[in-house]
Amino acid sequence: EVDGGSGMVEVLKAGGAMDLHSAAVLRDQAMAAHVLDHVLDHVQSQQAASRILQRDDSTPRVQNETDANADEDGDEGEERARSEVDARDGNGDTALHVAVKHEAVGVAKLLVGAGAGVALQDEQGDTALHLAVKRGLGELVSVLAARALSSSSSSSLWLMVLLL
């Protein structure tokens, strides 16, 4: 079903991962933003439900323990959201790979901003950065390279950049 002719497909009940791939193919930045919002809302709802179920009101909690649990929940939520953003399609491509292959620069920027894995390789061994370089997408190369260099595994990413 298409929403108002804008290309926004309402199939978000399945978690949104394949909708990110669809947004990339359609080059639909609004759809990608909507799906990413849905993914983040879903993860936050799951975290809240988990905290409620795990709470034991009969045992007083120390403030530091609560803070540590909140940090753990935040890390777990980020990991869940990242797994949604980095889900692979039937071809082994993440939504970021698809966005680069379809030259959907705006969608790719949204995905990078949402924490998409820029060092993930497709079935041919290419990262999104490799694909952007091969397609001559200078603006996207800059965004992807900056993200790659700011990640914690920058030494392996430097090697990847040198191999380009």
Side-chain angles (χ1 to χ4, degrees), residues 49-98:
S50 176
R51 280 194 297 271
I52 290 168
L53 292 174
Q54 291 175 357
R55 187 180 307 151
D56 180 0
D57 291 335
S58 65
T59 306
R61 300 184 110 181
V62 178
Q63 182 65 32
N64 290 341
E65 179 185 337
T66 302
D67 291 344
N69 288 340
D71 287 345
E72 287 174 18
D73 287 345
D75 292 344
E76 186 178 311
E78 283 179 30
E79 187 61 35
R80 273 193 225 141
R82 195 172 302 115
S83 70
E84 294 269 347
V85 171
D86 289 335
R88 294 181 184 267
D89 64 12
N91 298 320
D93 291 330
T94 66
L96 185 56
H97 286 110
V98 174

mmCIF file of all heavy atoms in Angstrom, residues 49-98:
data_model
loop_
_atom_site.group_PDB
_atom_site.id
_atom_site.type_symbol
_atom_site.label_atom_id
_atom_site.label_comp_id
_atom_site.label_asym_id
_atom_site.label_seq_id
_atom_site.Cartn_x
_atom_site.Cartn_y
_atom_site.Cartn_z
ATOM 1 N N ALA A 49 9.721 -2.404 28.025
ATOM 2 C CA ALA A 49 9.002 -3.601 28.477
ATOM 3 C C ALA A 49 9.931 -4.533 29.238
ATOM 4 O O ALA A 49 9.547 -5.096 30.267
ATOM 5 C CB ALA A 49 8.396 -4.326 27.272
ATOM 6 N N SER A 50 11.147 -4.669 28.771
ATOM 7 C CA SER A 50 12.122 -5.526 29.434
ATOM 8 C C SER A 50 12.434 -5.017 30.833
ATOM 9 O O SER A 50 12.509 -5.777 31.787
ATOM 10 C CB SER A 50 13.401 -5.604 28.598
ATOM 11 O OG SER A 50 14.378 -6.344 29.263
ATOM 12 N N ARG A 51 12.603 -3.701 30.964
ATOM 13 C CA ARG A 51 12.884 -3.114 32.289
ATOM 14 C C ARG A 51 11.724 -3.334 33.240
ATOM 15 O O ARG A 51 11.912 -3.623 34.409
ATOM 16 C CB ARG A 51 13.197 -1.628 32.148
ATOM 17 C CG ARG A 51 14.613 -1.356 31.703
ATOM 18 C CD ARG A 51 14.978 0.104 31.895
ATOM 19 N NE ARG A 51 14.145 0.990 31.084
ATOM 20 C CZ ARG A 51 14.438 1.361 29.835
ATOM 21 N NH1 ARG A 51 15.529 0.931 29.259
ATOM 22 N NH2 ARG A 51 13.651 2.173 29.185
ATOM 23 N N ILE A 52 10.496 -3.211 32.740
ATOM 24 C CA ILE A 52 9.318 -3.396 33.592
ATOM 25 C C ILE A 52 9.240 -4.844 34.064
ATOM 26 O O ILE A 52 8.989 -5.116 35.234
ATOM 27 C CB ILE A 52 8.029 -2.986 32.847
ATOM 28 C CG1 ILE A 52 8.004 -1.467 32.675
ATOM 29 C CG2 ILE A 52 6.790 -3.481 33.590
ATOM 30 C CD1 ILE A 52 6.946 -0.970 31.727
ATOM 31 N N LEU A 53 9.484 -5.784 33.155
ATOM 32 C CA LEU A 53 9.418 -7.200 33.512
ATOM 33 C C LEU A 53 10.527 -7.611 34.466
ATOM 34 O O LEU A 53 10.344 -8.501 35.292
ATOM 35 C CB LEU A 53 9.468 -8.071 32.248
ATOM 36 C CG LEU A 53 8.247 -7.974 31.345
ATOM 37 C CD1 LEU A 53 8.492 -8.760 30.059
ATOM 38 C CD2 LEU A 53 7.012 -8.489 32.058
ATOM 39 N N GLN A 54 11.692 -6.972 34.357
ATOM 40 C CA GLN A 54 12.826 -7.337 35.198
ATOM 41 C C GLN A 54 12.804 -6.645 36.554
ATOM 42 O O GLN A 54 13.524 -7.038 37.463
ATOM 43 C CB GLN A 54 14.146 -6.995 34.490
ATOM 44 C CG GLN A 54 14.402 -7.858 33.301
ATOM 45 C CD GLN A 54 15.647 -7.433 32.556
ATOM 46 O OE1 GLN A 54 16.289 -6.452 32.898
ATOM 47 N NE2 GLN A 54 15.995 -8.177 31.514
ATOM 48 N N ARG A 55 11.993 -5.644 36.711
ATOM 49 C CA ARG A 55 11.973 -4.866 37.944
ATOM 50 C C ARG A 55 11.409 -5.706 39.083
ATOM 51 O O ARG A 55 10.399 -6.373 38.952
ATOM 52 C CB ARG A 55 11.125 -3.612 37.765
ATOM 53 C CG ARG A 55 11.222 -2.686 38.960
ATOM 54 C CD ARG A 55 10.389 -1.446 38.811
ATOM 55 N NE ARG A 55 10.701 -0.776 37.561
ATOM 56 C CZ ARG A 55 9.820 -0.039 36.895
ATOM 57 N NH1 ARG A 55 8.612 0.109 37.341
ATOM 58 N NH2 ARG A 55 10.163 0.543 35.779
ATOM 59 N N ASP A 56 12.067 -5.659 40.179
ATOM 60 C CA ASP A 56 11.607 -6.344 41.378
ATOM 61 C C ASP A 56 11.456 -5.280 42.452
ATOM 62 O O ASP A 56 12.432 -4.881 43.073
ATOM 63 C CB ASP A 56 12.605 -7.420 41.801
ATOM 64 C CG ASP A 56 12.173 -8.164 43.051
ATOM 65 O OD1 ASP A 56 11.090 -7.847 43.584
ATOM 66 O OD2 ASP A 56 12.931 -9.036 43.483
ATOM 67 N N ASP A 57 10.229 -4.792 42.639
ATOM 68 C CA ASP A 57 9.996 -3.683 43.561
ATOM 69 C C ASP A 57 10.233 -4.057 45.015
ATOM 70 O O ASP A 57 10.355 -3.193 45.873
ATOM 71 C CB ASP A 57 8.573 -3.144 43.383
ATOM 72 C CG ASP A 57 8.424 -2.444 42.053
ATOM 73 O OD1 ASP A 57 9.438 -1.966 41.522
ATOM 74 O OD2 ASP A 57 7.292 -2.388 41.555
ATOM 75 N N SER A 58 10.292 -5.352 45.343
ATOM 76 C CA SER A 58 10.494 -5.749 46.731
ATOM 77 C C SER A 58 11.953 -5.616 47.155
ATOM 78 O O SER A 58 12.260 -5.621 48.334
ATOM 79 C CB SER A 58 10.033 -7.197 46.948
ATOM 80 O OG SER A 58 10.855 -8.071 46.202
ATOM 81 N N THR A 59 12.860 -5.479 46.192
ATOM 82 C CA THR A 59 14.272 -5.352 46.517
ATOM 83 C C THR A 59 14.725 -3.936 46.225
ATOM 84 O O THR A 59 14.650 -3.484 45.087
ATOM 85 C CB THR A 59 15.119 -6.324 45.658
ATOM 86 O OG1 THR A 59 14.608 -7.628 45.826
ATOM 87 C CG2 THR A 59 16.579 -6.255 46.040
ATOM 88 N N PRO A 60 15.171 -3.211 47.265
ATOM 89 C CA PRO A 60 15.659 -1.851 46.994
ATOM 90 C C PRO A 60 16.902 -1.904 46.107
ATOM 91 O O PRO A 60 17.730 -2.790 46.244
ATOM 92 C CB PRO A 60 16.012 -1.293 48.371
ATOM 93 C CG PRO A 60 15.883 -2.410 49.332
ATOM 94 C CD PRO A 60 15.269 -3.582 48.648
ATOM 95 N N ARG A 61 16.981 -0.965 45.206
ATOM 96 C CA ARG A 61 18.107 -0.938 44.272
ATOM 97 C C ARG A 61 19.046 0.206 44.634
ATOM 98 O O ARG A 61 18.620 1.270 45.037
ATOM 99 C CB ARG A 61 17.609 -0.742 42.849
ATOM 100 C CG ARG A 61 16.678 -1.838 42.420
ATOM 101 C CD ARG A 61 16.317 -1.614 41.011
ATOM 102 N NE ARG A 61 16.995 -2.683 40.306
ATOM 103 C CZ ARG A 61 16.976 -2.859 39.020
ATOM 104 N NH1 ARG A 61 16.348 -2.049 38.258
ATOM 105 N NH2 ARG A 61 17.597 -3.845 38.446
ATOM 106 N N VAL A 62 20.297 -0.020 44.448
ATOM 107 C CA VAL A 62 21.307 1.009 44.638
ATOM 108 C C VAL A 62 21.345 1.848 43.362
ATOM 109 O O VAL A 62 21.235 1.311 42.264
ATOM 110 C CB VAL A 62 22.687 0.340 44.892
ATOM 111 C CG1 VAL A 62 23.766 1.392 45.049
ATOM 112 C CG2 VAL A 62 22.609 -0.557 46.100
ATOM 113 N N GLN A 63 21.502 3.137 43.492
ATOM 114 C CA GLN A 63 21.479 4.032 42.340
ATOM 115 C C GLN A 63 22.482 3.613 41.272
ATOM 116 O O GLN A 63 22.189 3.614 40.098
ATOM 117 C CB GLN A 63 21.761 5.480 42.789
ATOM 118 C CG GLN A 63 21.709 6.494 41.659
ATOM 119 C CD GLN A 63 20.324 6.616 41.062
ATOM 120 O OE1 GLN A 63 19.330 6.449 41.752
ATOM 121 N NE2 GLN A 63 20.250 6.894 39.772
ATOM 122 N N ASN A 64 23.698 3.236 41.686
ATOM 123 C CA ASN A 64 24.715 2.857 40.700
ATOM 124 C C ASN A 64 24.312 1.618 39.921
ATOM 125 O O ASN A 64 24.588 1.500 38.746
ATOM 126 C CB ASN A 64 26.064 2.613 41.385
ATOM 127 C CG ASN A 64 26.657 3.903 41.899
ATOM 128 O OD1 ASN A 64 26.267 4.979 41.466
ATOM 129 N ND2 ASN A 64 27.582 3.793 42.831
ATOM 130 N N GLU A 65 23.650 0.667 40.592
ATOM 131 C CA GLU A 65 23.193 -0.539 39.909
ATOM 132 C C GLU A 65 22.162 -0.176 38.849
ATOM 133 O O GLU A 65 22.192 -0.686 37.736
ATOM 134 C CB GLU A 65 22.588 -1.511 40.923
ATOM 135 C CG GLU A 65 22.057 -2.782 40.308
ATOM 136 C CD GLU A 65 21.349 -3.655 41.332
ATOM 137 O OE1 GLU A 65 21.626 -3.530 42.532
ATOM 138 O OE2 GLU A 65 20.499 -4.445 40.895
ATOM 139 N N THR A 66 21.261 0.741 39.191
ATOM 140 C CA THR A 66 20.246 1.178 38.239
ATOM 141 C C THR A 66 20.907 1.850 37.038
ATOM 142 O O THR A 66 20.547 1.596 35.893
ATOM 143 C CB THR A 66 19.266 2.169 38.916
ATOM 144 O OG1 THR A 66 18.687 1.510 40.034
ATOM 145 C CG2 THR A 66 18.185 2.616 37.960
ATOM 146 N N ASP A 67 21.893 2.717 37.322
ATOM 147 C CA ASP A 67 22.596 3.380 36.233
ATOM 148 C C ASP A 67 23.305 2.367 35.336
ATOM 149 O O ASP A 67 23.294 2.481 34.124
ATOM 150 C CB ASP A 67 23.629 4.375 36.776
ATOM 151 C CG ASP A 67 22.969 5.578 37.431
ATOM 152 O OD1 ASP A 67 21.756 5.793 37.197
ATOM 153 O OD2 ASP A 67 23.662 6.284 38.181
ATOM 154 N N ALA A 68 23.925 1.355 35.957
ATOM 155 C CA ALA A 68 24.624 0.326 35.176
ATOM 156 C C ALA A 68 23.637 -0.446 34.321
ATOM 157 O O ALA A 68 23.911 -0.739 33.152
ATOM 158 C CB ALA A 68 25.374 -0.627 36.104
ATOM 159 N N ASN A 69 22.463 -0.771 34.892
ATOM 160 C CA ASN A 69 21.444 -1.480 34.114
ATOM 161 C C ASN A 69 20.946 -0.623 32.958
ATOM 162 O O ASN A 69 20.706 -1.123 31.869
ATOM 163 C CB ASN A 69 20.267 -1.906 34.994
ATOM 164 C CG ASN A 69 20.628 -3.047 35.922
ATOM 165 O OD1 ASN A 69 21.596 -3.767 35.688
ATOM 166 N ND2 ASN A 69 19.868 -3.189 36.987
ATOM 167 N N ALA A 70 20.786 0.655 33.179
ATOM 168 C CA ALA A 70 20.334 1.553 32.112
ATOM 169 C C ALA A 70 21.375 1.598 30.993
ATOM 170 O O ALA A 70 21.034 1.582 29.818
ATOM 171 C CB ALA A 70 20.086 2.956 32.663
ATOM 172 N N ASP A 71 22.673 1.644 31.382
ATOM 173 C CA ASP A 71 23.724 1.639 30.366
ATOM 174 C C ASP A 71 23.709 0.348 29.572
ATOM 175 O O ASP A 71 23.855 0.354 28.358
ATOM 176 C CB ASP A 71 25.105 1.825 31.004
ATOM 177 C CG ASP A 71 25.329 3.245 31.497
ATOM 178 O OD1 ASP A 71 24.551 4.134 31.088
ATOM 179 O OD2 ASP A 71 26.258 3.455 32.297
ATOM 180 N N GLU A 72 23.524 -0.797 30.268
ATOM 181 C CA GLU A 72 23.468 -2.085 29.578
ATOM 182 C C GLU A 72 22.281 -2.130 28.623
ATOM 183 O O GLU A 72 22.403 -2.606 27.498
ATOM 184 C CB GLU A 72 23.370 -3.233 30.586
ATOM 185 C CG GLU A 72 24.666 -3.499 31.324
ATOM 186 C CD GLU A 72 24.503 -4.544 32.411
ATOM 187 O OE1 GLU A 72 23.504 -5.295 32.384
ATOM 188 O OE2 GLU A 72 25.375 -4.607 33.291
ATOM 189 N N ASP A 73 21.111 -1.627 29.081
ATOM 190 C CA ASP A 73 19.932 -1.591 28.220
ATOM 191 C C ASP A 73 20.186 -0.718 26.999
ATOM 192 O O ASP A 73 19.776 -1.045 25.893
ATOM 193 C CB ASP A 73 18.709 -1.052 28.977
ATOM 194 C CG ASP A 73 18.155 -2.053 29.984
ATOM 195 O OD1 ASP A 73 18.521 -3.242 29.905
ATOM 196 O OD2 ASP A 73 17.378 -1.619 30.850
ATOM 197 N N GLY A 74 20.878 0.413 27.198
ATOM 198 C CA GLY A 74 21.181 1.303 26.086
ATOM 199 C C GLY A 74 22.082 0.631 25.076
ATOM 200 O O GLY A 74 21.871 0.727 23.871
ATOM 201 N N ASP A 75 23.122 -0.057 25.558
ATOM 202 C CA ASP A 75 24.034 -0.769 24.662
ATOM 203 C C ASP A 75 23.301 -1.864 23.907
ATOM 204 O O ASP A 75 23.496 -2.047 22.711
ATOM 205 C CB ASP A 75 25.205 -1.386 25.442
ATOM 206 C CG ASP A 75 26.147 -0.335 26.010
ATOM 207 O OD1 ASP A 75 26.075 0.824 25.552
ATOM 208 O OD2 ASP A 75 26.927 -0.674 26.914
ATOM 209 N N GLU A 76 22.458 -2.605 24.622
ATOM 210 C CA GLU A 76 21.691 -3.688 23.991
ATOM 211 C C GLU A 76 20.739 -3.117 22.939
ATOM 212 O O GLU A 76 20.580 -3.684 21.858
ATOM 213 C CB GLU A 76 20.908 -4.443 25.058
ATOM 214 C CG GLU A 76 20.187 -5.657 24.557
ATOM 215 C CD GLU A 76 19.476 -6.386 25.684
ATOM 216 O OE1 GLU A 76 20.099 -6.633 26.713
ATOM 217 O OE2 GLU A 76 18.278 -6.681 25.495
ATOM 218 N N GLY A 77 20.122 -1.985 23.244
ATOM 219 C CA GLY A 77 19.207 -1.354 22.298
ATOM 220 C C GLY A 77 19.921 -0.873 21.054
ATOM 221 O O GLY A 77 19.419 -1.019 19.946
ATOM 222 N N GLU A 78 21.117 -0.299 21.250
ATOM 223 C CA GLU A 78 21.900 0.134 20.099
ATOM 224 C C GLU A 78 22.252 -1.053 19.221
ATOM 225 O O GLU A 78 22.205 -0.973 17.991
ATOM 226 C CB GLU A 78 23.187 0.824 20.556
ATOM 227 C CG GLU A 78 22.989 2.225 21.055
ATOM 228 C CD GLU A 78 24.297 2.849 21.518
ATOM 229 O OE1 GLU A 78 25.366 2.488 20.978
ATOM 230 O OE2 GLU A 78 24.241 3.704 22.418
ATOM 231 N N GLU A 79 22.608 -2.169 19.864
ATOM 232 C CA GLU A 79 22.970 -3.374 19.107
ATOM 233 C C GLU A 79 21.770 -3.900 18.328
ATOM 234 O O GLU A 79 21.894 -4.293 17.165
ATOM 235 C CB GLU A 79 23.502 -4.452 20.064
ATOM 236 C CG GLU A 79 24.061 -5.655 19.354
ATOM 237 C CD GLU A 79 25.238 -5.337 18.448
ATOM 238 O OE1 GLU A 79 26.045 -4.455 18.791
ATOM 239 O OE2 GLU A 79 25.339 -5.973 17.378
ATOM 240 N N ARG A 80 20.588 -3.897 18.962
ATOM 241 C CA ARG A 80 19.372 -4.344 18.262
ATOM 242 C C ARG A 80 19.060 -3.449 17.075
ATOM 243 O O ARG A 80 18.724 -3.934 15.998
ATOM 244 C CB ARG A 80 18.180 -4.360 19.219
ATOM 245 C CG ARG A 80 18.057 -5.636 19.979
ATOM 246 C CD ARG A 80 16.700 -5.703 20.645
ATOM 247 N NE ARG A 80 16.907 -6.147 21.996
ATOM 248 C CZ ARG A 80 16.275 -5.711 23.054
ATOM 249 N NH1 ARG A 80 15.341 -4.792 22.937
ATOM 250 N NH2 ARG A 80 16.538 -6.173 24.246
ATOM 251 N N ALA A 81 19.141 -2.138 17.293
ATOM 252 C CA ALA A 81 18.854 -1.198 16.206
ATOM 253 C C ALA A 81 19.864 -1.379 15.077
ATOM 254 O O ALA A 81 19.507 -1.383 13.903
ATOM 255 C CB ALA A 81 18.884 0.240 16.720
ATOM 256 N N ARG A 82 21.146 -1.553 15.430
ATOM 257 C CA ARG A 82 22.177 -1.746 14.418
ATOM 258 C C ARG A 82 21.927 -3.022 13.626
ATOM 259 O O ARG A 82 22.112 -3.063 12.417
ATOM 260 C CB ARG A 82 23.562 -1.776 15.067
ATOM 261 C CG ARG A 82 24.684 -1.619 14.076
ATOM 262 C CD ARG A 82 26.055 -1.458 14.716
ATOM 263 N NE ARG A 82 26.103 -0.319 15.610
ATOM 264 C CZ ARG A 82 26.283 -0.409 16.935
ATOM 265 N NH1 ARG A 82 26.450 -1.555 17.512
ATOM 266 N NH2 ARG A 82 26.306 0.675 17.672
ATOM 267 N N SER A 83 21.471 -4.082 14.304
ATOM 268 C CA SER A 83 21.211 -5.329 13.577
ATOM 269 C C SER A 83 20.059 -5.154 12.594
ATOM 270 O O SER A 83 20.069 -5.746 11.518
ATOM 271 C CB SER A 83 20.944 -6.489 14.542
ATOM 272 O OG SER A 83 19.709 -6.337 15.178
ATOM 273 N N GLU A 84 19.092 -4.332 12.944
ATOM 274 C CA GLU A 84 17.996 -4.031 12.007
ATOM 275 C C GLU A 84 18.521 -3.233 10.814
ATOM 276 O O GLU A 84 18.200 -3.517 9.669
ATOM 277 C CB GLU A 84 16.900 -3.221 12.703
ATOM 278 C CG GLU A 84 16.178 -3.957 13.790
ATOM 279 C CD GLU A 84 14.942 -4.680 13.288
ATOM 280 O OE1 GLU A 84 14.516 -4.408 12.151
ATOM 281 O OE2 GLU A 84 14.427 -5.499 14.044
ATOM 282 N N VAL A 85 19.334 -2.229 11.100
ATOM 283 C CA VAL A 85 19.866 -1.364 10.047
ATOM 284 C C VAL A 85 20.809 -2.148 9.134
ATOM 285 O O VAL A 85 20.847 -1.919 7.929
ATOM 286 C CB VAL A 85 20.584 -0.135 10.663
ATOM 287 C CG1 VAL A 85 21.327 0.655 9.611
ATOM 288 C CG2 VAL A 85 19.586 0.752 11.390
ATOM 289 N N ASP A 86 21.548 -3.097 9.717
ATOM 290 C CA ASP A 86 22.523 -3.870 8.943
ATOM 291 C C ASP A 86 21.996 -5.217 8.449
ATOM 292 O O ASP A 86 22.777 -6.063 8.001
ATOM 293 C CB ASP A 86 23.796 -4.098 9.776
ATOM 294 C CG ASP A 86 24.597 -2.823 9.959
ATOM 295 O OD1 ASP A 86 24.482 -1.914 9.119
ATOM 296 O OD2 ASP A 86 25.343 -2.727 10.961
ATOM 297 N N ALA A 87 20.688 -5.417 8.506
ATOM 298 C CA ALA A 87 20.110 -6.677 8.018
ATOM 299 C C ALA A 87 20.439 -6.843 6.536
ATOM 300 O O ALA A 87 20.543 -5.869 5.789
ATOM 301 C CB ALA A 87 18.600 -6.679 8.226
ATOM 302 N N ARG A 88 20.614 -8.081 6.137
ATOM 303 C CA ARG A 88 20.986 -8.368 4.749
ATOM 304 C C ARG A 88 19.775 -8.900 3.972
ATOM 305 O O ARG A 88 18.946 -9.597 4.528
ATOM 306 C CB ARG A 88 22.126 -9.375 4.711
ATOM 307 C CG ARG A 88 23.409 -8.790 5.317
ATOM 308 C CD ARG A 88 24.554 -9.765 5.260
ATOM 309 N NE ARG A 88 25.721 -9.233 5.929
ATOM 310 C CZ ARG A 88 26.702 -8.544 5.315
ATOM 311 N NH1 ARG A 88 26.632 -8.303 4.022
ATOM 312 N NH2 ARG A 88 27.737 -8.110 5.992
ATOM 313 N N ASP A 89 19.743 -8.554 2.702
ATOM 314 C CA ASP A 89 18.680 -9.058 1.831
ATOM 315 C C ASP A 89 19.091 -10.415 1.257
ATOM 316 O O ASP A 89 20.132 -10.968 1.631
ATOM 317 C CB ASP A 89 18.347 -8.050 0.727
ATOM 318 C CG ASP A 89 19.492 -7.799 -0.241
ATOM 319 O OD1 ASP A 89 20.499 -8.548 -0.232
ATOM 320 O OD2 ASP A 89 19.383 -6.840 -1.037
ATOM 321 N N GLY A 90 18.303 -10.946 0.341
ATOM 322 C CA GLY A 90 18.574 -12.247 -0.259
ATOM 323 C C GLY A 90 19.875 -12.295 -1.038
ATOM 324 O O GLY A 90 20.417 -13.376 -1.292
ATOM 325 N N ASN A 91 20.408 -11.141 -1.417
ATOM 326 C CA ASN A 91 21.680 -11.078 -2.142
ATOM 327 C C ASN A 91 22.871 -10.866 -1.217
ATOM 328 O O ASN A 91 23.996 -10.726 -1.683
ATOM 329 C CB ASN A 91 21.649 -9.941 -3.173
ATOM 330 C CG ASN A 91 20.591 -10.148 -4.217
ATOM 331 O OD1 ASN A 91 20.377 -11.263 -4.681
ATOM 332 N ND2 ASN A 91 19.881 -9.080 -4.572
ATOM 333 N N GLY A 92 22.606 -10.782 0.086
ATOM 334 C CA GLY A 92 23.683 -10.556 1.041
ATOM 335 C C GLY A 92 24.057 -9.097 1.207
ATOM 336 O O GLY A 92 25.068 -8.774 1.832
ATOM 337 N N ASP A 93 23.243 -8.184 0.670
ATOM 338 C CA ASP A 93 23.521 -6.753 0.766
ATOM 339 C C ASP A 93 22.810 -6.135 1.962
ATOM 340 O O ASP A 93 21.654 -6.462 2.243
ATOM 341 C CB ASP A 93 23.043 -6.018 -0.491
ATOM 342 C CG ASP A 93 23.853 -6.357 -1.724
ATOM 343 O OD1 ASP A 93 25.049 -6.668 -1.579
ATOM 344 O OD2 ASP A 93 23.289 -6.308 -2.826
ATOM 345 N N THR A 94 23.491 -5.217 2.646
ATOM 346 C CA THR A 94 22.830 -4.406 3.657
ATOM 347 C C THR A 94 22.098 -3.274 2.933
ATOM 348 O O THR A 94 22.329 -3.040 1.741
ATOM 349 C CB THR A 94 23.852 -3.797 4.643
ATOM 350 O OG1 THR A 94 24.685 -2.872 3.938
ATOM 351 C CG2 THR A 94 24.688 -4.878 5.331
ATOM 352 N N ALA A 95 21.257 -2.561 3.666
ATOM 353 C CA ALA A 95 20.562 -1.418 3.061
ATOM 354 C C ALA A 95 21.568 -0.369 2.581
ATOM 355 O O ALA A 95 21.352 0.285 1.560
ATOM 356 C CB ALA A 95 19.583 -0.811 4.061
ATOM 357 N N LEU A 96 22.694 -0.240 3.286
ATOM 358 C CA LEU A 96 23.717 0.714 2.863
ATOM 359 C C LEU A 96 24.336 0.298 1.529
ATOM 360 O O LEU A 96 24.540 1.138 0.648
ATOM 361 C CB LEU A 96 24.796 0.852 3.944
ATOM 362 C CG LEU A 96 25.876 1.899 3.697
ATOM 363 C CD1 LEU A 96 25.280 3.291 3.466
ATOM 364 C CD2 LEU A 96 26.855 1.929 4.868
ATOM 365 N N HIS A 97 24.610 -0.984 1.358
ATOM 366 C CA HIS A 97 25.112 -1.459 0.060
ATOM 367 C C HIS A 97 24.103 -1.132 -1.048
ATOM 368 O O HIS A 97 24.478 -0.643 -2.123
ATOM 369 C CB HIS A 97 25.339 -2.977 0.076
ATOM 370 C CG HIS A 97 26.531 -3.415 0.843
ATOM 371 N ND1 HIS A 97 26.420 -4.086 2.023
ATOM 372 C CD2 HIS A 97 27.855 -3.284 0.594
ATOM 373 C CE1 HIS A 97 27.640 -4.349 2.476
ATOM 374 N NE2 HIS A 97 28.527 -3.875 1.629
ATOM 375 N N VAL A 98 22.836 -1.402 -0.779
ATOM 376 C CA VAL A 98 21.786 -1.166 -1.777
ATOM 377 C C VAL A 98 21.694 0.326 -2.097
ATOM 378 O O VAL A 98 21.583 0.710 -3.266
ATOM 379 C CB VAL A 98 20.426 -1.718 -1.290
ATOM 380 C CG1 VAL A 98 19.304 -1.341 -2.244
ATOM 381 C CG2 VAL A 98 20.494 -3.235 -1.119
#
